[in-house]
Amino acid sequence: MLTPSAIRRCFEGAVPAVIATCSPDGTPNVAYLSQVHYLDDRHVALTFQFFNTTRRNILANPLATVQVVDPETAAHFRLYLRYLRTETEGPLFEHMKAKLAGIASHTGMSKVFHLLGSDVYEVLQVEHVFGAAPDPGTSRPDLLPRLRACMADLGVCGDLAHLFDETLGALARHCGIGYSMLLMHDPTHERLYTVASRGYPESGVGWEVRVGDGIIGVAGCERAPIRIGYTAQAYVYGRAMREGFAHGPDADALESEIPFPGLSNPGSQLAVPLALGNRLLGVLYVESRESRRFTYEDEDALVVLAGQLALTIELLAHSAELHAELPSKVPVVPVRGLPVEVRHYAADHSVFVGPDYLIKGVAGAILWKLLRDYAHHGRSEFTNRELRLDRSLRLPDISDNLEARLILLQRRLAERCPFIAITRTGRGRFRLEVGRPLQLVEAPAS
Amino acid sequence: MLDQAHAAFIQRRVSILVGSCNADGVPSLARAYGCRVPPDRSSVTVFLALPQSEALLRDLRASGAIAVVFSRPSTHETLQFKGSVQRISPVDADDRPVMQAYGRSFAEEIAPLGFDESFQDAIMAPVEHEGVAVTFAPLAAFVQTPGPSAGRPLGHGS
């Protein structure tokens, strides 16, 4: 028997679907549908956007017939459906809302299309009406071996920094996905911060977004993948959105100095949460200039990869704190040049090197502790474990990924400050390297 | 019910979908391949492809209730007519050129929207299939273009 999964390509919104319903007195009604959303082989969801005849009819008579068209072969399929319920919040609703925003801006309907609910229907029967036989395959039928190659690359990573870069590298090498970002979750402040990116002029490491904002934030908040096939202005991280997020100089303010590194006008976006059970670890985000670049099958593949990635992150993050290896010998960098002032603002732990902003938040607090220990006690060797135990840092609990914070700090230093570096000297252990004399200044509280 | 502008609109470049339902309330639905309006505009004839319209034709014959949506892909301008079936007959020699001309106009309409020639040919292939002409008297018409006026009835005699 034909099932919805065999015709998922018809649900991408390229050719609008049509729904027939009828009233209790037997008057038929035909209307266009913005979106048919695949749930599983027995259920689909349809957008509920207007209080119209279709709506009145299905509440009175739950039977509906939907015709969809394959965007490549023009084959027609009919779905015989029975209305079950309407969802107005949660992962399904948010995914359909995001997808609808893409379809709306693609069709010039941004001011008209708003999702009121996701109507869930039971699929009673799928009928092949005419045209080519269903082709569940994708334009990239070798996705499974590509996924396998990605997983193999992840498997050999011994530390988090390597894992982050290899994940994005593997997606580029094996799946042809050139624009990607990896963000980790800060559960204390409910935000996601960028630890790696690929394909952009600026790395954007340190860029933050609140859980719930834009496609990345919504995927994180709902623990659900969100895929948009067209440029969706409401989900693009533009300047306006960034400015909208700025909340002033308190400890809770979002990082606003580091701009979003991604495409300003992506044709396709896909955000996949990294989660263990319901615990959010981060979000993997990919995008493309092309419309409809990511298919249902790409979404399947990235969800599988994200599962493996989440497990590996968890494993590596904890092992770094539990087992500190003995430090390896690293040549000491000579200190030379004129002294430079490093200023710390306690309110939000922002750190400036000379006049230039470097970092803030937890990573800023960590850097300040390291610099003080270096300046006052001559220390340069540190372990992840001692940072975790240091109460002055007031680190978030163990669910916070300390190793990811260190990677963020290490990368910001590498990009912005040529004379301060963090170098790995073994698992769970690192060295602070300072190449110029520093003058540490604690800025007075305002 | 049907003014000259609407009659012209529904005969070219529009997607045409026809619906009905059976006595158990199961809706039926099929694409139509062209439309003909007589000079007095008292009725509308739509052309269905027989193999893909079996359930729909059964319902149209049994109940006589019909709903037809005409929508222009490039502008989303959409009209729905509801009415009762007057006549169902095989497509005749005069109808076929009307269907073929309609098929060409629809292909022209969707070409700039990114659908290539093979898609255009495939979606309009049933223009050459065994066909059935369904003539109905429109009893009500509604604007269904997405937006504030969606659902507004076209005035009687308009």
Side-chain angles (χ1 to χ4, degrees), chain A residues 403-419:
Chain A
E403 182 71 3
R405 303 278 193 188
L406 285 168
I407 292 168
L408 161 61
L409 177 57
Q410 185 180 27
R411 291 182 175 186
R412 276 296 286 176
L413 285 167
E415 286 175 12
R416 299 282 154 163
C417 184
F419 46 86

Side-chain angles (χ1 to χ4, degrees), chain B residues 10-69:
Chain B
I10 64 177
Q11 294 183 75
R12 293 183 72 247
R13 302 181 81 99
V14 286
S15 192
I16 309 172
L17 274 299
V18 182
S20 188
C21 63
N22 69 13
D24 297 328
V26 179
S28 47
L29 178 64
R31 183 179 290 277
Y33 300 89
C35 161
R36 188 202 273 280
V37 179
D40 69 357
R41 302 193 298 272
S42 62
S43 66
V44 174
T45 299
V46 290
F47 304 113
L48 299 174
L50 193 57
Q52 51 179 284
S53 312
E54 281 172 25
L56 174 66
L57 283 166
R58 201 164 51 229
D59 294 345
L60 291 174
R61 286 196 175 97
S63 75
I66 186 170
V68 187
V69 161

Side-chain angles (χ1 to χ4, degrees), chain A residues 14-15 18-23 26-32 50 53 57 61 63-67 69-74 76 78 80 107-109 112-113 129-130 292, chain B residues 15-21 24-31 33 52-53 55 65-69 71 75-76 78 80 82 115 118-119 122-123 125-126 129 144 146-147:
Chain A
V15 182
V18 180
I19 182 170
T21 56
C22 68
S23 65
T27 306
N29 191 75
V30 181
Y32 276 86
F50 306 102
T53 306
N57 284 353
N61 164 21
L63 300 175
T65 303
V66 168
Q67 186 160 284
V69 178
D70 186 308
E72 289 178 28
T73 66
H76 284 42
R78 251 176 236 138
Y80 291 89
T107 52
M109 290 285 164
V112 177
F113 284 179
V129 179
F130 91 100
R292 295 195 289 130
Chain B
S15 192
I16 309 172
L17 274 299
V18 182
S20 188
C21 63
D24 297 328
V26 179
S28 47
L29 178 64
R31 183 179 290 277
Y33 300 89
Q52 51 179 284
S53 312
I66 186 170
V68 187
V69 161
S71 179
T75 62
H76 310 286
T78 306
Q80 178 173 212
K82 296 197 182 184
F115 296 100
S118 79
F119 183 92
I123 197 165
H129 294 177
Q144 264 177 236

Side-chain angles (χ1 to χ4, degrees), chain A residues 98-415:
Chain A
K99 244 163 102 173
L100 182 64
I103 292 167
S105 62
H106 177 63
T107 52
M109 290 285 164
S110 291
K111 291 202 170 79
V112 177
F113 284 179
H114 295 289
L115 192 63
L116 297 176
S118 297
D119 288 345
V120 179
Y121 285 78
E122 179 187 358
V123 178
L124 305 173
Q125 194 198 334
V126 181
E127 181 188 7
H128 179 206
V129 179
F130 91 100
D135 172 15
T138 143
S139 42
R140 287 179 300 284
D142 50 354
L143 208 53
L144 205 53
R146 289 166 190 260
L147 175 63
R148 177 181 170 169
C150 289
M151 305 268 261
D153 288 356
L154 260 59
V156 299
C157 295
D159 63 75
L160 266 192
H162 193 203
L163 178 71
F164 291 161
D165 292 338
E166 267 306 292
T167 302
L168 305 186
L171 285 173
R173 280 193 300 280
H174 305 306
C175 303
I177 296 173
Y179 298 111
S180 55
M181 295 170 60
L182 196 54
L183 299 96
M184 295 301 290
H185 181 215
D186 172 345
T188 308
H189 304 101
E190 275 305 292
R191 66 183 62 163
L192 293 148
Y193 57 97
T194 310
V195 290
S197 73
R198 189 177 171 105
Y200 307 116
E202 296 281 333
S203 83
V205 163
W207 176 74
E208 290 182 342
V209 62
R210 247 175 244 287
V211 171
D213 283 340
I215 180 170
I216 297 169
V218 171
C221 181
E222 300 297 337
R223 316 285 193 268
I226 309 277
R227 185 167 56 96
I228 308 180
Y230 303 98
T231 306
Q233 285 310 330
Y235 289 81
V236 166
Y237 293 103
R239 177 165 293 278
M241 196 160 177
R242 217 166 45 233
E243 282 166 1
F245 294 160
H247 296 285
D250 60 79
D252 226 24
L254 213 57
E255 174 59 64
S256 57
E257 296 297 323
I258 304 172
F260 175 65
L263 301 177
S264 56
N265 235 358
S268 310
Q269 301 169 275
L270 171 57
V272 180
L274 311 175
L276 291 173
N278 197 40
R279 182 157 71 85
L280 182 68
L281 299 188
V283 171
L284 174 62
Y285 173 71
V286 298
E287 58 184 354
S288 168
R289 295 188 193 280
E290 263 176 78
S291 293
R292 295 195 289 130
R293 163 64 179 80
F294 305 115
T295 62
Y296 270 105
E297 287 73 26
D298 289 312
E299 181 183 318
D300 290 342
L302 258 67
V303 167
V304 173
L305 186 68
Q308 181 72 12
L309 183 57
L311 281 171
T312 314
I313 287 172
E314 185 74 351
L315 197 71
L316 292 177
H318 284 299
S319 79
E321 286 180 45
L322 291 176
H323 317 284
E325 288 174 350
L326 288 174
S328 60
K329 296 282 181 218
V330 177
V332 175
V333 180
V335 178
R336 57 168 71 116
L338 293 172
V340 62
E341 181 187 281
V342 179
R343 187 176 290 265
H344 172 249
Y345 292 83
D348 61 356
H349 292 299
S350 55
V351 176
F352 288 73
V353 178
D356 301 320
Y357 171 78
L358 179 70
I359 193 86
K360 71 172 184 176
V362 175
I366 291 172
L367 177 62
W368 191 243
K369 178 215 157 36
L370 300 179
L371 290 174
R372 275 181 322 176
D373 278 10
Y374 168 81
H376 301 149
H377 307 294
R379 290 190 60 201
S380 58
E381 302 288 341
F382 298 90
T383 64
N384 289 23
R385 191 173 167 74
E386 71 178 286
L387 292 184
R388 176 70 76 189
L389 297 175
D390 187 327
R391 294 193 169 201
S392 73
L393 287 176
R394 284 188 295 178
L395 280 175
D397 68 19
I398 192 75
S399 68
D400 188 82
N401 196 323
L402 174 60
E403 182 71 3
R405 303 278 193 188
L406 285 168
I407 292 168
L408 161 61
L409 177 57
Q410 185 180 27
R411 291 182 175 186
R412 276 296 286 176
L413 285 167
E415 286 175 12

Side-chain angles (χ1 to χ4, degrees), chain A residues 1-5 11 19-20 33 36-46 58 61-66 78-87 92 118-127, chain B residues 26-27:
Chain A
M1 201 185 85
L2 198 52
T3 58
S5 64
F11 305 157
I19 182 170
L33 263 177
V36 178
H37 185 88
Y38 170 84
L39 279 175
D40 58 48
D41 268 350
R42 293 186 51 204
H43 300 91
V44 294
L46 310 181
I58 62 129
N61 164 21
L63 300 175
T65 303
V66 168
R78 251 176 236 138
L79 296 100
Y80 291 89
L81 307 176
R82 181 199 304 275
Y83 169 73
L84 295 178
R85 65 178 184 276
T86 298
E87 295 186 8
L92 171 65
S118 297
D119 288 345
V120 179
Y121 285 78
E122 179 187 358
V123 178
L124 305 173
Q125 194 198 334
V126 181
E127 181 188 7
Chain B
V26 179

